[in-house]
């Protein structure tokens, strides 16, 4: 046995022989010789290990070579193809954090391509021939949209909260209700952000009730700021009450404390007609008395990842001067996408924004699309069964926790495949399809599938049925 393994080992060609094989020329041309040598070495190591652990099998030199070149090809593709790929989101979660949250509108991307692939007046005033601030392009639109004194932007809303707290509260106490000490998905926890910002947290009230008196009693000479946080991803119901912004506003001005409202999603359009009622509008929040609001660019706004800070000049000027502002600044690609996204709101056509379109889809229009796909799926003999089921889509991404949008779903069943097998097959397609599970059924929600992808989805299901 020992003898045989070592003889197979001897069959493995040396790196030099493989690297000079004409079959590798295209790979070397597309990358470099040293890169391909690295791949060959790794493949040979793997092959050696496989031979050592599989001693019984004999293998011809031709087969061995075939395996080696096959593996080199796979390894080449693994390293030279991007790992980020588009997927079809059939989960019905509109702002799916794992799937990139808000898909960005095509026009905004085309504009960003134009700006980013050329030089631009990013930080330059073309009329006065002087240096300008890069966020001026965004600020003017935001100030108009939110009717506020000033607005600035940073990398994301977590950064916005950190920057605001550090600029206005550092070294002092920040009052926050116990009911608002939240954690948002990917490890954004309010207490941790407060600690990082150099402020001292003063939790007040109880989880379900916090009254104005609780705030008032806790104000002392060290108090620097009152923070309100929108509990984006959960809702406490029952015997609850939180102090409103309006109530807090008179208290904060009496004590000359900035009142900061972290809105999370910050929705600029009225979603009440879709039954979504607990998404605060940044403008309303400012009118109700917040001195500063901050919210995400890639939640309900439907733009790129960004954090928007808006409100009173007195405070924004202080925030601007913080060196952290420079550290957290946006790059030109994001600025261009955000500018274009905000302009669609200014021009009163938010229905050009994919996230908004998805919320606007009526149940009837989704039902029609579902039926069309099911009817097209004529494969009678297939082992895949498609049915229409009533269900709900959610906004997700830490927005509107208790709000659901009625939808129609395609349920997938198979006599031969388990639900997890169907799910795995869907994920292995190109582009992968992400479904959701409910009661051991695989469900596809078309609300989050772009209508122009319906036929691609239908085709993929037909291919799947044949597999
Ligand atoms: C989502 C959210 C954040 C974090 O925003 P990112 O843009 O993800 O950094 C902060 N606060 C609240 C209330 C949120 O909902």
């Amino acid at each position: 046995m020992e003898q045989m393994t070592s003889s197979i080992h001897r069959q493995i060609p040396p790196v030099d022989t493989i690297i000079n094989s004409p079959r590798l020329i295209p790979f070397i041309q597309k990358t470099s010789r040293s890169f391909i040598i690295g791949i060959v070495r790794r493949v040979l190591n793997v092959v050696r290990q496989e031979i050592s652990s599989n001693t019984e099998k004999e293998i011809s030199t031709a087969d061995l070579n075939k395996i080696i070149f096959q593996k080199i090809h796979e390894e080449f593709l693994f390293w030279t193809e991007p790992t980020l790929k588009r997927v079809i989101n059939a989960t019905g979660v509109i702002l799916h954090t794992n799937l990139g949250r808000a898909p960005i509108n095509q026009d905004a991307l085309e504009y960003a391509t134009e700006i980013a692939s050329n030089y631009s007046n990013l930080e330059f005033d073309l009329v006065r021939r002087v240096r300008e601030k890069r966020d001026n392009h965004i600020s003017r639109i935001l100030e108009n949209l939110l009717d506020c004194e000033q607005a600035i932007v940073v990398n994301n809303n977590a950064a916005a909260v950190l920057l605001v707290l550090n600029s206005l509260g550092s070294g002092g106490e920040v009052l926050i209700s116990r009911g608002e000490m939240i954690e948002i998905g990917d490890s954004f926890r309010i207490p941790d952000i407060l600690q990082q910002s150099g402020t001292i947290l003063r939790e007040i009230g109880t989880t379900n009730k916090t009254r104005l008196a609780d705030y008032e009693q806790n104000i002392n000479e060290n108090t620097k700021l009152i923070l309100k946080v929108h509990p984006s991803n959960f809702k406490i119901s029952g015997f609850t009450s939180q102090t409103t912004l309006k109530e807090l506003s008179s208290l904060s001005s009496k004590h000359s404390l900035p009142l900061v409202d972290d809105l999370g999603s910050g929705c600029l359009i009225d979603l009440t007609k879709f039954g979504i009622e607990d998404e605060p509008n940044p403008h309303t929040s400012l009118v109700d008395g917040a001195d500063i609001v901050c919210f995400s660019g890639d939640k309900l706004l439907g733009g790129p990842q960004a954090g928007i800070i808006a409100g009173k000049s007195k405070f924004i000027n202080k925030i601007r001067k913080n060196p952290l502002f420079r550290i957290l600044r946006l790059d030109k690609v994001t600025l261009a996408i955000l500018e274009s996204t905000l302009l669609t709101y200014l021009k009163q056509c938010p229905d050009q924004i994919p996230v908004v379109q998805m919320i606007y889809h009526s149940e009837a229009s989704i039902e029609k699309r579902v039926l069309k796909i099911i009817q097209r799926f004529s494969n009678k003999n297939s082992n895949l069964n498609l049915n229409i089921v009533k269900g709900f889509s959610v906004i997700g991404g830490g927005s509107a926790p208790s709000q659901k949008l009625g939808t129609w779903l395609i349920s997938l069943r198979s006599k031969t495949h388990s639900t997890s097998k169907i799910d795995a097959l869907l994920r292995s397609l190109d582009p992968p399809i992400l479904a959701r599970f409910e009661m051991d059924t695989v469900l596809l929600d078309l609300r989050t599938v772009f209508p122009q992808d319906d036929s691609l989805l239908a085709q993929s299901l037909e291919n799947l049925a044949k597999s």
Side-chain angles (χ1 to χ4, degrees):
M1 200 58 78
E2 186 61 32
Q3 192 86 33
M4 201 169 80
T5 325
S6 65
S7 82
I8 297 177
H9 271 297
R10 256 179 269 122
Q11 266 173 274
I12 297 178
V15 175
D16 277 351
T17 314
I18 299 179
I19 199 74
N20 290 323
S21 152
R23 292 168 68 178
L24 291 194
I25 292 173
F27 294 160
I28 294 172
Q29 276 170 348
K30 280 187 200 136
T31 53
S32 72
R33 196 178 158 85
S34 60
F35 178 73
I36 301 301
I37 290 176
I39 287 184
V40 172
R41 287 218 174 97
R42 280 196 295 277
V43 166
L44 292 187
N45 276 338
V46 170
V47 171
R48 258 182 228 116
Q49 269 162 23
E50 280 176 6
I51 290 172
S52 308
S53 55
N54 192 2
T55 44
E56 291 109 87
K57 260 207 193 137
E58 262 190 73
I59 186 162
S60 71
T61 306
D63 283 347
L64 187 63
N65 275 339
K66 207 168 141 193
I67 292 172
I68 290 171
F69 280 102
Q70 174 65 26
K71 281 188 190 294
I72 290 173
H73 191 189
E74 282 166 13
E75 187 85 348
F76 179 81
L77 291 180
F78 176 77
W79 284 104
T80 52
E81 288 194 344
T83 52
L84 264 176
K85 46 179 131 182
R86 67 163 288 204
V87 304
I88 292 183
N89 174 13
T91 63
V93 180
I94 297 177
L95 297 168
H96 200 303
T97 305
N98 301 151
L99 307 182
R101 268 201 203 157
I104 291 160
N105 150 296
Q106 281 287 347
D107 290 346
L109 283 175
E110 272 161 37
Y111 170 65
T113 305
E114 156 100 12
I115 296 303
S117 59
N118 289 288
Y119 293 103
S120 67
N121 62 339
L122 182 67
E123 295 184 357
F124 191 72
D125 184 324
L126 291 167
V127 178
R128 295 186 298 135
R129 208 186 195 286
V130 289
R131 188 178 169 177
E132 252 311 345
K133 298 188 197 81
R134 63 171 58 204
D135 44 309
N136 271 6
H137 307 279
I138 301 290
S139 302
R140 72 180 181 113
I141 312 172
L142 276 171
E143 284 152 20
N144 187 309
L145 275 175
L146 306 178
D147 192 20
C148 65
E149 291 178 12
Q150 260 194 68
I152 51 172
V153 282
V154 289
N155 221 301
N156 52 46
N157 190 34
V161 177
L162 176 77
L163 176 63
V164 170
L165 291 174
N166 181 263
S167 311
L168 307 178
S170 178
E173 289 181 8
V174 171
L175 298 189
I176 177 171
S177 159
R178 280 213 169 78
E180 295 171 4
M181 296 288 288
I182 53 163
E183 168 173 330
I184 320 265
D186 44 19
S187 66
F188 173 88
R189 305 180 93 187
I190 291 290
D192 297 343
I193 300 283
L194 273 149
Q195 197 188 6
Q196 282 299 322
S197 72
T199 58
I200 300 146
L201 166 74
R202 193 176 264 263
E203 274 182 86
I204 56 168
T206 59
T207 310
N208 58 333
K209 276 198 184 244
T210 304
R211 299 179 179 85
L212 188 63
D214 295 319
Y215 284 91
E216 186 138 36
Q217 280 156 17
N218 281 285
I219 294 178
N220 61 43
E221 66 280 7
N222 294 325
T223 312
K224 286 222 170 163
L225 188 152
I226 299 177
L227 177 65
K228 240 189 124 47
V229 179
H230 182 62
S232 307
N233 53 358
F234 76 103
K235 194 179 171 96
I236 306 176
S237 47
F239 184 64
T240 68
S241 75
Q242 294 292 333
T243 317
T244 65
L245 266 182
K246 277 189 184 142
E247 293 172 304
L248 281 177
S249 161
S250 49
L251 181 70
S252 67
S253 39
K254 188 168 120 195
H255 294 270
S256 308
L257 295 170
L259 175 58
V260 176
D261 194 9
D262 172 16
L263 300 171
S265 212
C267 185
L268 296 186
I269 51 171
D270 182 14
L271 294 180
T272 49
K273 59 173 178 276
F274 303 98
I276 294 169
E277 287 178 350
D278 55 4
E279 273 313 319
N281 182 306
H283 171 68
T284 315
S285 169
L286 290 167
V287 170
D288 285 351
D291 295 304
I292 293 287
V293 292
C294 46
F295 57 98
S296 274
D298 59 346
K299 287 189 183 168
L300 280 172
L301 191 75
Q305 181 190 300
I308 295 163
I309 304 170
K312 300 231 168 84
S313 282
K314 167 163 92 161
F315 300 119
I316 302 266
N317 286 335
K318 223 170 157 186
I319 296 168
R320 256 187 202 290
K321 291 204 190 92
N322 189 334
L324 268 180
F325 177 53
R326 165 64 180 80
I327 294 168
L328 301 170
R329 80 175 181 190
L330 281 187
D331 80 305
K332 61 186 173 195
V333 183
T334 312
L335 271 173
I337 300 170
L338 188 58
E339 185 187 19
S340 175
T341 307
L342 291 170
L343 277 176
T344 34
Y345 282 99
L346 196 77
K347 292 190 265 181
Q348 299 292 323
C349 34
D351 53 344
Q352 289 175 5
I353 290 165
V355 165
V356 177
Q357 283 165 3
M358 286 172 186
I359 296 172
Y360 282 7
H361 285 321
S362 68
E363 276 183 53
S365 71
I366 297 173
E367 182 183 20
K368 226 165 119 184
R369 290 166 57 201
V370 167
L371 290 174
K372 200 169 158 198
I373 290 181
I374 292 180
Q375 274 151 19
R376 176 180 154 168
F377 193 82
S378 50
N379 216 334
K380 295 270 182 320
N381 304 323
S382 95
N383 61 18
L384 199 61
N385 252 311
L386 273 62
N387 279 298
I388 181 164
V389 191
K390 182 96 196 60
F392 293 96
S393 320
V394 292
I395 305 244
S399 303
S402 54
Q403 312 286 343
K404 293 173 173 175
L405 299 159
T407 194
W408 290 95
L409 309 153
I410 302 173
S411 76
L412 299 180
R413 278 175 205 282
S414 159
K415 287 181 210 90
T416 48
H417 294 327
S418 67
T419 45
S420 55
K421 175 74 181 170
I422 298 175
D423 182 64
L425 285 170
L426 288 169
R427 280 183 285 112
S428 70
L429 295 169
D430 182 23
I433 297 173
L434 275 297
R436 80 164 183 251
F437 280 112
E438 245 167 53
M439 313 234 272
D440 205 33
T441 311
V442 179
L443 298 167
L444 304 176
D445 187 344
L446 294 197
R447 183 181 292 280
T448 49
V449 175
F450 290 97
Q452 66 263 30
D453 287 340
D454 281 2
S455 53
L456 180 62
L457 181 94
Q459 186 59 53
S460 298
L461 291 179
E462 275 171 39
N463 295 342
L464 194 73
K466 286 181 210 136
S467 71

